[in-house]
Each structure stands twice: as structure tokens, then as C-alpha cells.
Amino acid sequence: MNDSLASKMSYGERLFQEGKVEDAVNCFLSLLKTNPNHPELLNNLGVISFSSQRLQEAEKYLLSAIGFDIAYREAYENLAKLYACNGDLQKAVSLLERYPFSVTDDCHLYNQLGMLCLSLKDTGKAKTYFERSLELNPAQEEAKNALRQILVLEGNQAKPKSNTTKAKKQSKNSAGNLTVAVVAQSHLCLGCGACTVVCPVGAVRLIETPDGRLIPEVDEQACVLCGRCLRSCPGLTIADSDDFLSRHQPFQGPCLGTFVGRASDEVIYSKSQSGGLVTAVVQELLNAHWVDGVVVSRLEWNGGRPVGRAFVARSREELLSAQGSKYCPMPLLEALSPKVRHPGRLALVGLPCHLHAVRNLRRWHPELVQDVQITIGLFCDRILTYAAMDYLARRANVSFSKVTQFHFRDKERTGYPGDVTIFTEDGVSKTLPSDERMKIKDRFTPLRCRLCFDKLNVFSDITIGDPHGIQGVDSENGESVCVVRTEKGKNAMALCLQSQAVRARGIEYQEVLAGQGIKGKIATWHAFSTAWQRIGGPLPGYIDHVLPLCRHISSENQRHASILVQSLQQERYPSREALIADACIRLGEQEPYFGSISKRHFIFEVMGCGFVNKGAMLMMLAIIGQLNRRRPDAKIASAPMPWMKRFLDYGILPLLPGFLEYPDIDVVLDASGFVYSDQWGVTPSKAAARKFERLKSYGATVILLPQAFGPFHDPAIRDYFKRIADSAELIFARDEISLEHVRTVVGESAKLALAPDFTVLLEGTPPGERDWFAERLCVVPNARMIDKTSGKEGSQYVEFLKRVVIATRGLGKEAFFLIHEGYADHEIARAVNGLLGKGCKIVYEQDPLLLKGILGASAAVVSSRYHALIGSLSQAVPSLCVGWSHKYRELFKSYEFSSGLVKLDATEDNLQEAILPLLEGEPRLRLVAHLRTASQRQKELAGEMWRRVFQCIGERHGGLQSPA
């Protein structure tokens, strides 16, 4: 690969990592024009398409990559993941079995094959692949744990020989990736109950969360990893939707006729929410012996709590007991379980998510739905969580433990659309006006409902709903709209009209589409889906067939992202009581929440930290730890960016309009690392200068935490940094050269200080295979050595790493690659392995604390990643460095270990001379003792920096907490 192409590819990869997906795609496509047969470019485009759920496009790119390089392992891995995520596990296995293992024996590929075979219950094949994997690397735990699982499946309760705690943890993690538990973790669960029905061993049950959703809980001891629950889940995909949605507009569906009307039966009509058509139709189907039962649901009360129960109604009385809108999650598919269902022909009444599940069961487990003769779908814009019922009961001043009935829409007092009526055990009823129900919808809508396109239930035979926007309807007593979608539905509706079970008249489908606001639904769905992608959320698999309809739509992503973030936060409440108390504030019972958030919390904005770059992750974790100890009253905020969802996992609030804005910020902690410099151009300095000036005008305190600065030769950058410095209360440089660069701009100032990188205070997580790492040299590559250096230096880097490995082996030791960042670093390690007769193991971990633990466990480290060097030196691990800026020289100077710097053109002999004292004998012992002393000094300086930071904050804002 030539230098120019490598640099441009690295730039495209960086764009993708930063969330600039369209820019990354354009970059790779432009390179593909001049390099049409380049497998890495094709693989990159496939990865981006896969991450954006454009699965057919992703498959095309990945197959092309394999076609041009039959041994390109990453393309095989990515394509196998695509097939597996799409439910086609056998296709994934067949693909990986075609890989030419004779070219590169890789234990990771064998493990992937083994797990796929295990999920297909082919334990014989799985065992073979895991045994081959262990032949390549006997120290790894992944294959050992999988073999234990196979022994359990075969009835042999063999106990692990060692490291049982970690084995159990890893086994559970592996199982979770093959069960429906991963759907709940991804926020895609619909609570439909399909997973509980298909599980052959009863290992899945639905539980109610503190925020009122239904999600699956998997008993991992009982689970056999069959994959049935994952394959059947409508939260991930809808079976055969590509064919259906290619023939019908997704937001409209097919239509053979449209009616508006009501039930003829006055009892049914009086108890209905609209026109009673659903109950009237299914009762007539029972009367006419079309079906022997109807799958419906109702709310029951158990221990003072509402419980959604699905059942098969076989009489008029049972149908009437199920009448009325529930609005809460209903596990309707549980009624199809062979354990509870009696034989007979069935009709099924359900929401779109229930009908999606039925479609999946027809594809994968037809025996469970073979009795379902006809489906009646309900219009559904969204449901509410069970917490909505708690809130409404509180609004009605009713103790929830005394509630016996709950009607979301009761027409008795005011007619259509009906009030909320709550009945208690002492015979009292309380009524809330319908607007009380309407105003809470946004607060209690599950996140997953925002991602559903199917408001009109397009996969049903008949769809029924409210007659919004229809001319001439009975607006006082209510009527229903009915859309006939299939021949089966057409015959059923003809039966009901002929028998006069319903009174209905024909209308135009366009009236229904307009009244249901389908144009607005398309725009809203697109906005929520794209916002969810931007904050790091996965989308269902059918996205490819729906998204093209919205290409022309310009969406207001930030507002919709704010709503999604609120939903994510709601999922994290520890108890229902805490959630309801907060909802009362947010919904205006006591005071508006978002307009006064800074009155209730002290807000720190953290800049420059994220969850893609491991160094930035370490800084974020370090800041969170300090704030939790010293300012437990505070909240942490950060600007929205890709993978914002990970921020929410740590309780970090997003800066979004209407949610949290600049006037709410009390303190800004800028931990950008290295952006204010000629090397990064004018944009970062310009943006920060304007932002800090605005924040200062609102009274915020700006502090620049230890980072590298300069040089500032560019006049514009110099001017902007002067404005940054004027807005800041404290500026910490992490090395003497950076401090001098700052002084050339602002002169001598009391606000300037020298302090080390504060991640030295973080403790790493020890790896499970500590002895394996202790015998090896850890090599940490850095793609910035290619794109941030001269062309000559960049071209030397891969050869340099090759010589490091050869020199290490010449000393009788082995090396391994540790990927501290992402794809580009991994490609460098792969390129080095391609030059070696025998490649080195490549270790990739997402957890930055585990990465630090691996660095601490290694015999020695050779790194070009700054925070990897911080991680090794702060743990007194002998290390060598080749870097691309002054920050590396200054780091080793602070540890009084300048001999740890090596040159790119160092020969194998030079490298052996440098590596030998890191690994053996008295020189190593002296060096470790020296680094331990220097590391302790760095930690003391970092602690002093934090003391000064919080002293400044306390003086300006008060409320300083005593440090732990």
C-alpha cells in the first residue's frame, strides 16, 4: 500500500470513528474509483454499511473484499457476523469453513466457528473447532469455557480446572450474545413474549423493570444456547419483510377496502373505547365457527400490581373481559405456548409488534402459530410503560395498592375519546380528564416504540383503530376505522357486514392516512431512527427497506435525540418510586424540570473525553472518580457525539437544546489531551475560544486539565488560544515544552501550572491470564505514526515494529500486539504479522481499565500510544517509545528515563540492546525500582493538581466537598 493511499484510508477510518459516517463513505468511495480491487477499502465500506444496517450493501462489499483477497480474515469475520445477526447461522458457518486456515491459523476464527456451531446445537463440530483453537493458544479461556459448556450440554458436569470465577463470567457473556438478553441490552425489546414461547427449556421469562417495561430474563444455567429466542425476536427483524416491503409502502401497507363504523351489539359498543369493531368482529368469527378461540389480553391485579395476561377467549364473557385499551406492554405471544393453549382454530388480536412476532414464528417455528387463522391488528402509535399507571394513580390521589380496575379510556362520563377512570377496592372511582393521559405520553413512551414504523399494523389481515380526521363520524360516542388488507380479511369483514354484527360504511384509504398523520409519522420515525444511530444505538434489521422512503426528509435530530436520551435515563432509575417522584417534577406538578436543572444540581461539563479513544475513556473515568469523591452533589454533562449512549451508562447528561444548555453549566473541565496546536489547525482553538467566552459570560468556571499545548506559530491559532486563556481560571500543561508554548502566548501568569496526566491515579483491572502476559513483550501500535509524521517516517514504522518483534525473539522471548485504539491500529499489527514468518497474537479489549491491567501485567512494553505509555510507566513496567510529538519526550523526561526513547531507524541489534535490560537481570530490577519511585511522584503531583482544581471551584462556587 503506498503512503498516500494509507494516509487517506487512515483519514477515512478516523472520520468513521468520529461518527462522520457520510464523510467516511465518500472518502472510501473516492479511493475505490482509483483502487477498485482493494480489499481493505471494500471491507471498510462493508463495515460502515453493516453498522448502518444496510445489510445487502454490506454483504456485496464484503463478498467483493473476499473475492480480491481469499485470505482476508477480517472480511470473513465481518461477513459471518452479518449473517449471524440476520439469523442465518448456518450460512455464517459455511462461510468461515471456506476460509483458507492453512494461510493463517487463527484461534479467534476457530472460536467464532465454534460458537456458531454451538448455537446450531452441533456440539460435535463445535468441540472440534474449540480444540483446534486451544492447540494454537492453550492459555486462552474463551475456548476452555466453551468446551465446559459443551460438556454440560452432553450431560457431563465437568468442573473447570482453574480460574472458575472468570470462566463463569466469560461463559455468561458468551451466552448473552446468543440469547434474547442482548436485545434487551440493546434497548430493542418489545416485551411481546415470543422468546418465552420458543425456548425449549423454559429458560426465558419476562420481568417488569423499575421503569415499567417488560424485558426477558435468561436463566443462563438452564439455557442451551439454541438461538431460538434470538431468531424469533421481532425487536431485531421481521421475517421475510424484504419481499413484503418491496411490494407495499411500509407506512401504508396493502388495502383492499376501508370502512368506518361501530358494533351493532349495544353492550359491546357501550364498553368500547371507540366503535367496538374489534370485539364485534371476533365475536362474529366465534359465532360463525370460523375460529374456536381468540388470542387477546387483559389487565389483571396481583398483589396490588397490574399484570398483563394473554389468554385464549372462547366465549362472549371472556371477550368482554378483554375489551378496552391497555396501553401497557402485553406479552400476547405467551398465549400461544403449547403448555397453556388448547387445540383449535384461532384469531389473534394484537399490536404491530405482536404481528411482527407472529410473522417470525411462521418463518422459524410454524408449529406454534399453525392454528392462527386470521389476525386483527390495532393501530398503534406507541404504548406506555406500566409506570404511567403509577403516575396517573398518584395524580388521582389513589393508593396504587388499592386499585382493582384501571380504564385508560372510559366514555361513560364525557363520551369519546374517554377519561381515565380508576376503581379501588373500597368501591370508590376517581376520574382524570383525557388530557392527563395525553400529556404524559412522551414521558412514559418506551424507547423502542420510537423506532417502529408500523403505526397502521400493515402485516395484519384486518386493521382497526380510531377514526381521526374522518368526516361525518360520531364524535360524541365514537366509531372505529377498519382497513381490510388481505383476502382472508375481506371475507371476514363481508361476514360481519352480512350478519349485521357491525354497522359500517365505505371510505377512502387516503382519508385514513391523512387522519392518522402518516406523513408526520414518516418524518418523526426518520428523525428518531437517525438520532438513535448518532448516539450509538442499533436499529432493527428491516431498516434497509424503510429508510429509502425518507431520504428527502430533513430531520431535527437534536430534539429527537433529547427525547431518546430522556427515555434512556428513565430506564436507569433504581426504583419505581424514584422515577414517579422525578416525573412529577418534570411534568410540572411541582416545577418545570429542564428549565431549572442547574437549581437542583451543580453541573460539570467535561470536554475532550469520549468512549471511542481509549485515552479519552481513561481520562473520563478518572474525572468521574474524582467528582464522585469530591463533589457527589454534582452532575456531569458532555456535548452530544457518536456513542452518546455510552455516556448515559455512566450517568453523564448530554448538552442538548431543551434538555441541558450553556446557562446550566457551572464548571468546564477541558481534558482535550492535545488539540490546541498548529498541528491540529485553527478549528479546535476557534470553537473553544468562542465557547469559553460564552460560558464565562454565564458565570461558569473554565479549567484546562493537564494536556499538551502548542506550538502556536499560526497567528490565528495564537489569537484564539489567547482568548481561551483569558476565559480560563487554571491552565495545566503536562510537560515543560507545552508550558513554554503557553507562556509565549499569555506570558507569566498565576493561572499556569505544570501537572502530569491524571490517569496515573487509575487502577487497572488485572487480566485473567496474567502469567501469559508476564512472559511477553507488549507492542502497542499507533496509526498516528503514519498520518502525523513525514512520509519517510510513516513508511518506516511497520518495518520498525517488525524489527522489535524479531529482536525480542532473538532474546528468547515472545511478543504480542495490544490494540489500544481501533481499526487502524489493528491493521498496522496485521501488516507487521504479514511480514513475519510467524505472526504475533493480537489482543483487542474494549475495557480501558483491562487494557491498563494487561500493560501492568506485561514483562515490558514498546508503545507509540501516549496513554498506553502512561499506563505502563505508572505501573513501573519497563517501556520503550517511538513517538510523533514532543509529548513523548517530555513524558519520559518526567520519569527520568530518557534512554527509553528509541529511533525509528534503530537496527535489530540496537533494539536488542535496548530491550534486554527491560526483561532480565539486575538492570531490570534497578529500572523497575526507579520507575516505581518516579511513578509515586507523578501520582502525588496529580493529586496536588486535583486539590488545586477543587480549591478553585470551592472559592468561586462554594460547596466544596472534602476529598476522600
Side-chain angles (χ1 to χ4, degrees):
M1 187 188 303
N2 62 60
D3 293 346
S4 176
L5 178 59
S7 176
K8 291 176 181 176
M9 283 182 63
S10 180
Y11 174 69
E13 290 157 6
R14 187 165 70 250
L15 289 171
F16 179 58
Q17 290 172 357
E18 292 172 354
K20 300 173 183 176
V21 177
E22 290 188 13
D23 292 340
V25 170
N26 292 335
C27 174
F28 291 133
L29 287 176
S30 66
L31 294 175
L32 199 63
K33 290 179 181 178
T34 53
N35 302 272
N37 301 337
H38 200 289
E40 292 181 44
L41 283 172
L42 292 163
N43 180 70
N44 287 358
L45 286 165
V47 169
I48 294 175
S49 298
F50 188 14
S51 70
S52 302
Q53 292 295 312
R54 299 192 299 272
L55 303 185
Q56 293 178 340
E57 182 177 286
E59 182 183 28
K60 180 190 73 174
Y61 282 127
L62 294 170
L63 285 171
S64 297
I66 292 170
F68 291 119
D69 184 354
I70 194 65
Y72 191 15
R73 181 173 61 83
E74 283 76 13
Y76 280 86
E77 286 182 8
N78 292 326
L79 187 54
K81 289 176 185 175
L82 185 153
Y83 290 149
C85 289
N86 210 29
D88 201 339
L89 303 182
Q90 187 57 60
K91 196 171 184 180
V93 170
S94 300
L95 171 76
L96 292 180
E97 286 178 334
R98 296 201 302 270
Y99 180 78
F101 284 94
S102 58
V103 177
T104 304
D105 276 345
D106 190 291
C107 62
H108 179 71
L109 272 183
Y110 283 128
N111 289 341
Q112 191 176 1
L113 260 171
M115 291 306 296
L116 288 166
C117 292
L118 195 56
S119 66
L120 289 169
K121 299 184 74 173
D122 190 344
T123 54
K125 265 190 178 182
K127 186 186 295 184
T128 298
Y129 288 129
F130 288 124
E131 287 172 347
R132 289 181 188 173
S133 178
L134 284 172
E135 289 173 5
L136 293 171
N137 182 3
Q140 59 165 319
E141 288 296 319
E142 183 178 356
K144 290 180 182 178
N145 293 332
L147 285 173
R148 294 186 190 99
Q149 181 70 37
I150 292 171
L151 291 174
V152 171
L153 291 175
E154 293 177 342
N156 184 352
Q157 300 296 327
K159 295 182 179 180
K161 296 180 181 178
S162 63
N163 205 12
T164 55
T165 301
K166 183 171 180 65
K168 287 180 181 178
K169 181 179 180 182
Q170 289 186 345
S171 177
K172 287 187 176 184
N173 287 340
S174 298
N177 290 330
L178 292 169
T179 72
V180 77
V182 74
V183 183
Q185 294 161 9
S186 302
H187 310 278
L188 294 180
C189 178
L190 297 159
C192 67
C195 52
T196 67
V197 176
V198 300
C199 181
V201 294
V204 184
R205 69 184 184 111
L206 292 181
I207 60 171
E208 186 178 334
T209 63
D211 66 306
R213 293 170 297 122
L214 294 182
I215 63 170
E217 181 179 71
V218 179
D219 181 347
E220 291 176 350
Q221 301 303 316
C223 176
V224 294
L225 298 177
C226 64
R228 289 164 65 103
C229 60
L230 201 59
R231 187 166 58 232
S232 304
C233 177
L236 290 179
T237 191
I238 305 171
D240 304 318
S241 58
D242 50 350
D243 175 61
F244 182 92
L245 297 177
S246 67
R247 292 183 288 109
H248 305 290
Q249 211 275 7
F251 292 90
Q252 300 178 15
C255 177
L256 303 183
T258 315
F259 303 87
V260 63
R262 51 157 285 187
S264 299
D265 187 309
E266 293 299 334
V267 174
I268 292 176
Y269 184 51
S270 66
K271 288 172 60 66
S272 69
Q273 261 70 79
S274 299
L277 280 191
V278 173
T279 307
V281 168
V282 294
Q283 179 177 274
E284 183 59 26
L285 294 179
L286 276 175
N287 293 340
H289 304 293
W290 268 45
V291 296
D292 304 303
V294 184
V295 178
V296 289
S297 61
R298 65 186 173 210
L299 277 174
E300 297 183 351
W301 295 84
N302 183 9
R305 296 296 311 168
V307 178
R309 178 175 169 246
F311 67 103
V312 177
R314 298 180 183 276
S315 68
R316 173 183 171 85
E317 290 70 26
E318 287 181 325
L319 283 176
L320 291 175
S321 75
Q323 202 173 2
S325 301
K326 286 81 178 177
Y327 285 113
C328 291
M330 288 288 157
L332 187 74
L333 278 297
E334 289 185 348
L336 297 178
S337 170
K339 298 177 182 177
V340 300
R341 193 183 82 228
H342 300 291
R345 298 162 300 166
L346 300 175
L348 182 144
V349 180
L351 301 177
C353 48
H354 299 136
L355 274 293
H356 300 171
V358 168
R359 194 172 180 89
N360 285 356
L361 294 179
R362 288 197 193 281
R363 172 70 172 81
W364 299 108
H365 304 288
E367 72 282 0
L368 293 174
V369 290
Q370 61 185 358
D371 294 334
V372 177
Q373 303 297 305
I374 187 169
T375 57
I376 291 86
L378 307 174
F379 288 174
C380 181
D381 189 43
R382 47 182 149 163
I383 63 169
L384 305 174
T385 66
Y386 280 103
M389 298 177 70
D390 291 78
Y391 175 82
L392 290 171
R394 173 168 170 161
R395 289 289 283 161
N397 198 25
V398 171
S399 172
F400 210 67
S401 62
K402 295 183 178 181
V403 175
T404 56
Q405 291 185 64
F406 196 110
H407 296 170
F408 278 98
R409 291 171 57 180
D410 189 336
K411 295 191 297 187
E412 184 174 347
R413 189 172 72 94
T414 58
Y416 178 81
D419 302 315
V420 177
T421 305
I422 304 170
F423 299 87
T424 64
E425 60 188 20
D426 53 12
V428 175
S429 66
K430 293 288 186 73
T431 300
L432 295 172
S434 60
D435 61 356
E436 286 288 324
R437 173 176 57 85
M438 296 301 292
K439 79 176 186 180
I440 70 169
K441 291 179 73 173
D442 276 343
R443 174 58 48 197
F444 293 103
T445 295
L447 186 152
R448 180 59 175 84
C449 289
R450 306 288 191 181
L451 309 178
C452 179
F453 70 93
D454 194 11
K455 179 178 181 177
L456 297 187
N457 217 326
V458 299
F459 293 99
S460 62
D461 294 305
I462 296 173
T463 313
I464 297 174
D466 282 317
H468 300 313
I470 306 300
Q471 296 295 318
V473 300
D474 185 344
S475 59
E476 181 176 344
N477 298 303
E479 291 185 279
S480 301
V481 160
C482 172
V483 181
V484 176
R485 300 198 179 279
T486 66
E487 287 295 330
K488 191 180 296 183
K490 183 178 179 180
N491 293 335
M493 193 60 188
L495 170 70
C496 295
L497 289 169
Q498 183 177 359
S499 66
Q500 297 185 353
V502 302
R503 304 173 191 171
R505 60 195 181 277
I507 58 173
E508 293 296 324
Y509 192 33
Q510 289 303 317
E511 271 195 88
V512 177
L513 298 177
Q516 293 295 326
I518 295 305
K519 285 185 178 179
K521 173 64 179 179
I522 294 172
T524 302
W525 176 84
H526 180 258
F528 278 123
S529 297
T530 53
W532 181 235
Q533 279 185 304
R534 285 184 63 244
I535 64 177
L539 287 170
Y542 50 72
I543 196 78
D544 282 346
H545 305 288
V546 186
L547 206 55
L549 295 170
C550 312
R551 295 297 186 197
H552 63 287
I553 294 174
S554 176
S555 301
E556 185 192 341
N557 279 42
Q558 284 208 327
R559 183 173 66 85
H560 293 86
S562 178
I563 293 172
L564 293 171
V565 166
Q566 292 174 26
S567 297
L568 285 171
Q569 285 187 301
Q570 197 148 291
E571 292 180 12
R572 288 165 170 77
Y573 276 90
S575 68
R576 182 71 53 83
E577 293 74 19
L579 185 152
I580 297 303
D582 200 35
C584 289
I585 297 173
R586 297 184 185 214
L587 288 166
E589 274 195 47
Q590 298 175 32
E591 61 176 346
Y593 178 73
F594 294 118
S596 60
I597 187 170
S598 57
K599 296 177 183 177
R600 305 199 308 121
H601 296 296
F602 192 84
I603 307 295
F604 282 84
E605 181 192 352
V606 177
M607 287 178 55
C609 299
F611 288 90
V612 176
N613 179 290
K614 297 302 188 302
M617 291 174 73
L618 288 165
M619 290 191 290
M620 180 65 86
L621 293 175
I623 292 171
I624 290 172
Q626 291 293 327
L627 293 180
N628 286 343
R629 288 169 51 208
R630 299 172 185 259
R631 288 302 300 250
D633 61 313
K635 292 287 186 181
I636 305 173
S638 186
M641 60 184 68
W643 306 108
M644 173 55 71
K645 191 166 73 69
R646 295 187 186 177
F647 283 63
L648 299 170
D649 293 336
Y650 289 89
I652 300 170
L653 304 172
L655 284 165
L656 289 169
F659 187 87
L660 188 64
E661 303 186 48
Y662 281 176
D664 297 311
I665 303 301
D666 295 291
V667 176
V668 177
L669 299 178
D670 182 342
S672 295
F674 182 35
V675 296
Y676 306 129
S677 164
D678 291 341
Q679 286 181 264
W680 290 97
V682 73
T683 301
S685 299
K686 179 180 180 180
R690 293 178 173 179
K691 176 178 180 176
F692 292 163
E693 287 170 346
R694 186 177 172 195
L695 284 163
K696 187 175 182 180
S697 73
Y698 291 125
T701 297
V702 177
I703 297 174
L704 275 60
L705 294 178
Q707 51 193 286
F709 297 107
F712 299 110
H713 300 306
D714 185 304
I717 296 175
R718 187 181 183 88
D719 178 64
Y720 282 124
F721 188 76
K722 176 65 166 59
R723 291 165 59 182
I724 289 172
D726 290 342
S727 299
E729 297 299 317
L730 293 172
I731 301 174
F732 292 96
R734 67 185 177 197
D735 58 75
E736 292 281 1
I737 291 179
S738 292
L739 184 62
E740 189 55 37
H741 286 321
V742 175
R743 283 178 176 148
T744 64
V745 177
V746 302
E748 294 293 338
S749 172
K751 68 175 65 176
L752 303 184
L754 189 66
D757 187 284
F758 50 86
T759 62
V760 296
L761 298 173
L762 280 176
E763 295 292 329
T765 301
E769 305 83 15
R770 191 176 183 89
D771 291 343
W772 188 87
F773 292 110
E775 294 296 319
R776 287 166 170 77
L777 177 82
C778 174
V779 181
V780 184
N782 184 355
R784 300 292 83 77
M785 284 296 297
I786 294 176
D787 61 28
K788 286 295 179 183
T789 59
S790 67
K792 179 181 178 181
E793 290 173 316
S795 64
Q796 291 178 322
Y797 185 55
V798 171
E799 286 290 338
F800 167 80
L801 294 179
K802 170 191 169 186
R803 292 195 297 274
V804 168
V805 175
I806 293 173
T808 303
R809 289 173 174 172
L811 296 171
K813 294 287 186 179
E814 192 54 71
F816 71 95
F817 288 108
L818 180 65
I819 306 306
H820 204 269
E821 293 310 328
Y823 178 77
D825 288 6
H826 184 273
E827 287 302 283
I828 291 174
R830 183 173 171 271
V832 176
N833 275 346
L835 298 176
L836 297 166
K838 175 186 175 185
C840 298
K841 179 177 180 178
I842 301 175
V843 177
Y844 186 92
E845 292 288 349
Q846 288 287 353
D847 183 352
L849 296 180
L850 181 54
L851 284 172
K852 188 165 185 176
I854 292 172
L855 290 166
S858 299
V861 172
V862 176
S863 175
S864 305
R865 281 281 175 192
Y866 184 80
H867 275 98
L869 290 164
I870 294 282
S872 58
L873 293 172
S874 65
Q875 298 178 88
V877 175
S879 305
L880 298 179
C881 162
V882 57
W884 57 274
S885 81
H886 70 269
K887 64 182 182 179
Y888 297 92
R889 296 191 301 274
E890 293 299 304
L891 173 63
F892 275 74
K893 181 180 176 182
S894 67
Y895 280 83
E896 299 179 5
F897 182 39
S898 297
S899 60
L901 296 165
V902 293
K903 295 181 178 181
L904 268 175
D905 58 0
T907 65
E908 289 176 22
D909 290 340
N910 296 148
L911 290 169
Q912 279 195 347
E913 290 177 10
I915 293 171
L916 180 61
L918 275 58
L919 297 174
E920 295 181 355
E922 187 65 27
R924 172 182 167 82
L925 295 176
R926 288 198 303 270
L927 180 55
V928 169
H930 168 77
L931 291 176
R932 190 170 289 120
T933 300
S935 172
Q936 183 58 38
R937 175 58 181 156
Q938 294 297 301
K939 292 174 182 178
E940 290 171 358
L941 291 172
E944 173 60 23
M945 181 274 297
W946 282 119
R947 185 199 65 76
R948 186 172 175 187
V949 165
F950 285 99
Q951 181 181 9
C952 173
I953 294 169
E955 290 171 354
R956 287 179 55 81
H957 300 277
L960 178 65
Q961 303 293 317
S962 299

